[in-house]
């Protein structure tokens, strides 16, 4: 007889995984983690999208909303054996972000490196206040 320690949280994880956690199975997809930072010249978005090819990612902007969408699929490594646990999310994803008023949606760049998509949205040049000399008539 084998002695197995009971972990009540494992049963809870299994229950939640079947009910609400299995986003790909219920059509909800997944959401990549994102870091957003601001520099003097731009707003920068870093999205974690491991195992997603840059050609499978779409970046668009409309009505001052930046949208990033794509899809991650499982490889063909499931062909042999029985899968006992699947924790890696797969399926379609979409993330949208409302851009600040000073964001220049005409100057957006995106680059992929090591499973991270970096999107840079340039800031508009702010109108500089200047003094106007009043001439005597």
């Amino acid at each position: 007889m084998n002695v197995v320690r009971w972990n009540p949280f494992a049963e809870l994880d299994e229950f939640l995984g079947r009910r609400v956690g299995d986003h790909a199975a219920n059509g909800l997809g997944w959401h990549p983690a994102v870091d957003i930072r601001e520099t003097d010249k731009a707003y920068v978005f870093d999205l974690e999208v491991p195992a997603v090819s840059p050609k499978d990612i779409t970046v668009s902007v409309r009505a001052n909303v930046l949208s990033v969408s794509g899809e991650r699929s499982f490889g063909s490594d499931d062909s042999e054996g029985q899968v006992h646990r699947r924790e890696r999310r797969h399926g379609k994803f979409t993330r949208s972000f409302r851009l600040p008023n000073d964001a220049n949606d005409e100057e957006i760049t995106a680059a992929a490196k090591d499973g991270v998509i970096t999107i840079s949205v340039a800031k508009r040049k702010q109108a500089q206040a200047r003094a106007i000399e009043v001439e005597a008539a």
Side-chain angles (χ1 to χ4, degrees):
M1 173 166 94
N2 292 333
V3 176
V4 178
R5 286 197 173 149
W6 178 61
N7 180 353
F9 296 108
E11 290 180 15
L12 179 63
D13 287 343
E14 183 179 298
F15 172 78
L16 291 175
R18 284 193 315 257
R19 299 292 179 213
V20 295
D22 192 1
H23 296 297
N26 61 26
L28 296 177
W30 60 285
H31 292 99
V34 63
D35 291 338
I36 303 172
R37 55 194 158 91
E38 179 181 358
T39 67
D40 291 339
K41 297 181 180 182
Y43 297 98
V44 182
F45 300 79
D46 295 316
L47 281 89
E48 285 185 349
V49 287
V52 179
S53 172
K55 66 180 179 173
D56 294 331
I57 296 175
T58 302
V59 178
S60 62
V61 65
R62 182 175 181 199
N64 218 29
V65 175
L66 176 72
S67 295
V68 183
S69 60
E71 184 171 2
R72 178 167 60 194
S73 58
F74 275 122
S76 60
D77 59 352
D78 293 343
S79 60
E80 288 188 31
Q82 180 180 358
V83 176
H84 291 283
R85 186 171 188 93
R86 181 167 282 159
E87 293 184 351
R88 294 178 297 151
R89 297 285 184 222
H90 68 284
K92 295 182 180 184
F93 68 87
T94 300
R95 296 293 309 259
S96 295
F97 310 94
R98 180 161 303 282
L99 296 173
N101 290 335
D102 64 342
N104 185 352
D105 62 3
E106 298 293 323
E107 291 186 40
I108 298 176
T109 60
K113 182 178 180 184
D114 299 330
V116 175
I117 299 292
T118 299
I119 302 167
S120 180
V121 182
K123 290 182 178 180
R124 294 187 194 280
K125 293 184 180 181
Q126 298 294 328
Q128 299 280 334
R130 61 185 175 98
I132 311 266
E133 185 177 329
V134 177
E135 297 179 18

